[in-house]
């Protein structure tokens, strides 16, 4: 009986020692983890976590919308970085942005402008889209959506009213160029929007409008230029007005396609080595000109700058925005995303656009109400004049 008691005491001692070891291990692990988090987050980061925990467990209103508070806080935090190109996207905006960057969306297939007080001016209609099938044509003005007027300030809500679920119908009230009013009923569907559109102008001038540099834009642009080359164009105008930019990979393909052998793009990321993209000898060997305006951003500016640098192509239009940083949009746990500037970029020779943008060779504003690529497009006419002079 006595031996059993001694054994029991020893076993309890071993158990106690085991629990002490576990406790020490847990404490050390937590200490190391805390140290790691302190090193990673610093005081400011830990303060943000602390504030969230206090709001969750100490704030008097237990049902407060913390998701909304996080959205507001994240937007303010990114804004506080002082970089106009970095941004926070909540869940809805992140999903919409991804859809837009895929050059695919659910809607009726129209590109609109806000220059007419009566409503949204239809600038282009995607071939085969619901709007195309319903008889909507460029030049129409959408004055109402499902009976709701979008004239005046209502234009801002117009695109949201037109978009919706696939398969649902939407009625557009249209004011035609001849002054007649009609209604077009469209069934919303997934629309793939080509990034580029081209046409042959008088005098053998090819014209290509590039809307963005998102997914598939390089293939779309090259297809339009190839079509014009097959028609025997003698010069080319590239229009990147109102182009927000897009992906570096799409830009590099277009630069390589258009330009002769040499450096065409320099990329300087924070966490990697500088890289210089080289174009091969294959190129579009024609006189070129570029159209830009104040809403030509990022890759659009760089394309114009590099065309001038590599071939002497004149730039016509308005001074551009001066963007020289590229962003990566990182997905977040709340379903949103944060776009952060992670690299600087410049032309092949090292010329940076940051804060300066491009000064056109011919600085010219577009008349109010003029349609891009139309007969009243004075910027386009100026570019044609420059190419005609060069040919002469």
């Amino acid at each position: 009986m006595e031996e059993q008691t001694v054994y029991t005491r020893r076993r309890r001692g071993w158990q106690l020692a085991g629990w002490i070891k576990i406790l020490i291990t847990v404490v050390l692990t937590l200490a190391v983890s805390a140290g790691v988090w302190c090193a990673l987050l610093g005081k400011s980061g830990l303060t943000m976590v602390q504030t969230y925990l206090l709001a969750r467990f100490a704030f008097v209103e237990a049902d407060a919308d913390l998701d909304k508070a996080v959205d507001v806080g994240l937007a303010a935090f990114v804004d506080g970085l002082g970089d106009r190109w970095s941004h926070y996207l909540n869940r809805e905006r992140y999903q919409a942005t991804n859809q837009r960057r895929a050059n695919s969306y659910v809607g009726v297939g129209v590109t609109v402008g806000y220059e007419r007080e009566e409503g949204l001016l239809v600038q282009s209609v995607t071939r085969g889209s619901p709007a195309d099938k319903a008889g909507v044509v460029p030049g129409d003005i959408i004055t109402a959506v499902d009976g709701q007027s979008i004239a005046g300030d209502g234009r801002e809500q117009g695109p949201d009213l037109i978009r919706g679920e696939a398969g649902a119908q939407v009625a557009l009230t249209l004011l035609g160029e001849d002054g007649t009013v009609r209604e077009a009923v469209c069934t919303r569907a997934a629309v793939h929007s080509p990034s580029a559109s081209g046409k042959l102008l008088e005098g053998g001038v090819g014209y290509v409008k590039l809307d963005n540099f998102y997914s598939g834009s390089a293939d779309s642009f090259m297809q339009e230029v190839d079509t014009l080359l097959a028609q025997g164009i003698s010069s080319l105008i590239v229009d990147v007005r109102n182009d927000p930019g897009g992906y570096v990979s799409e830009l590099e393909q277009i630069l390589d396609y258009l330009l002769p052998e040499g450096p065409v793009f320099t990329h300087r990321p924070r966490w990697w080595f500088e890289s210089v993209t080289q174009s091969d000898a294959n190129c579009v060997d024609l006189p070129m000109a570029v159209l830009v305006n104040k809403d030509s951003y990022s890759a659009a500016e760089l394309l114009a700058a590099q065309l001038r640098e590599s071939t002497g192509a004149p730039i016509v239009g308005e001074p551009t925005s001066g963007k020289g940083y590229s962003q990566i949009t990182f997905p977040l746990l709340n379903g949103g995303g944060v776009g952060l500037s992670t690299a600087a970029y410049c032309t092949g020779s090292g010329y940076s656009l940051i804060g300066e943008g491009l000064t056109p060779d011919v600085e010219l504003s577009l008349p109010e109400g003029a349609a891009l690529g139309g007969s009243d497009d004075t910027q386009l006419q100026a570019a044609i004049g420059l190419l005609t002079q060069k040919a002469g």
Side-chain angles (χ1 to χ4, degrees):
M1 188 70 178
E2 186 175 345
E3 291 180 0
Q4 180 66 29
T5 301
V6 171
Y7 173 75
T8 301
R9 288 174 179 171
R10 286 177 180 173
R11 187 175 64 181
R12 288 176 178 172
W14 294 336
Q15 290 176 340
L16 180 60
W19 282 111
I20 291 174
K21 288 180 181 179
I22 292 173
L23 180 61
I24 292 173
T25 301
V26 170
V27 170
L28 288 175
T29 301
L30 292 175
V32 170
S33 298
V36 170
W37 283 112
C38 285
L40 287 174
L41 299 178
K43 261 187 184 178
S44 297
L46 290 174
T47 299
M48 294 177 70
V49 175
Q50 179 186 21
T51 302
Y52 177 84
L53 292 174
L54 288 171
R56 181 167 185 179
F57 296 109
F59 184 50
V60 65
E61 296 185 16
D63 59 348
D65 190 345
L66 294 185
D67 290 341
K68 180 179 179 181
V70 168
D71 278 341
V72 173
L74 287 173
F77 175 79
V78 176
D79 185 58
L81 295 175
D83 174 30
R84 62 181 291 201
W85 309 114
S86 295
H87 53 276
Y88 168 70
L89 302 169
N90 61 23
R91 181 195 300 269
E92 292 75 20
R93 289 181 60 203
Y94 181 57
Q95 292 175 348
T97 297
N98 286 338
Q99 188 178 66
R100 175 170 55 86
R101 290 175 177 174
N103 277 319
S104 177
Y105 64 96
V106 174
V108 299
V110 294
T111 301
V112 297
Y114 297 82
E115 52 265 45
R116 296 294 295 268
E117 186 69 21
E118 304 97 314
L120 296 174
L121 174 64
V122 177
Q123 296 177 335
S124 64
V125 180
T126 303
R127 288 191 296 270
S129 67
D132 186 33
K133 295 175 182 177
V136 181
V137 297
D140 283 338
I141 299 173
I142 304 173
T143 60
V145 179
D146 286 334
Q148 179 177 335
S149 172
I150 57 170
D153 293 340
R155 289 172 295 177
E156 297 296 328
Q157 287 74 45
D160 290 332
L161 295 174
I162 296 171
R163 288 189 290 263
E165 295 182 1
Q169 289 189 333
V170 59
L172 307 179
T173 302
L174 304 172
L175 174 62
E177 289 186 292
D178 59 359
T180 60
V181 177
R182 68 187 193 280
E183 186 173 274
V185 178
C186 309
T187 301
R188 298 182 180 101
V191 178
H192 176 71
S193 179
S195 303
S197 57
K199 59 183 177 180
L200 178 62
L201 305 178
E202 291 183 9
V205 178
Y207 168 82
V208 177
K209 176 72 175 73
L210 183 59
D211 294 327
N212 60 62
F213 287 78
Y214 295 131
S215 296
S217 60
D219 287 339
S220 180
F221 177 82
M222 292 186 290
Q223 182 178 352
E224 293 295 330
V225 176
D226 285 343
T227 299
L228 290 171
L229 290 171
Q231 294 174 7
I233 60 172
S234 57
S235 58
L236 176 66
I237 295 174
V238 180
D239 186 351
V240 289
R241 291 173 294 182
N242 299 336
D243 188 320
Y247 297 135
V248 167
S249 58
E250 302 290 334
L251 168 65
E252 289 175 321
Q253 290 183 66
I254 293 174
L255 290 171
D256 182 37
Y257 169 78
L258 287 176
L259 298 177
E261 188 173 5
V264 293
F265 182 71
T266 304
H267 200 229
R268 296 169 177 163
R270 178 182 177 185
W271 292 110
W272 198 243
F273 302 105
E274 176 180 304
S275 62
V276 179
T277 300
Q278 298 283 339
S279 176
D280 59 25
N282 296 321
C283 64
V284 176
D285 188 16
L286 292 175
M288 289 183 277
V290 196
L291 298 175
V292 299
N293 63 7
K294 62 183 178 63
D295 292 318
S296 298
Y297 291 94
S298 189
E301 293 178 276
L302 196 286
L303 175 64
Q306 193 60 56
L307 281 174
R308 181 163 65 182
E309 184 174 291
S310 295
T311 69
I315 299 173
V316 178
E318 301 168 341
T320 60
S321 59
K323 186 174 185 289
Y325 291 147
S326 61
Q327 292 73 42
I328 294 178
T329 302
F330 299 92
L332 299 176
L333 295 176
N334 68 349
V338 59
L340 295 178
S341 295
T342 57
Y345 60 81
C346 50
T347 65
S349 68
Y351 174 67
S352 173
L353 302 173
I354 296 175
E356 297 183 6
L358 290 172
T359 300
D361 298 283
V362 177
E363 192 168 334
L364 182 65
S365 295
L366 196 67
E368 185 176 354
L372 299 185
S375 58
D376 52 356
D377 187 342
T378 54
Q379 294 171 336
L380 174 59
Q381 297 306 316
I384 294 172
L386 289 174
L387 293 174
T388 302
Q389 289 175 10
K390 186 176 290 190

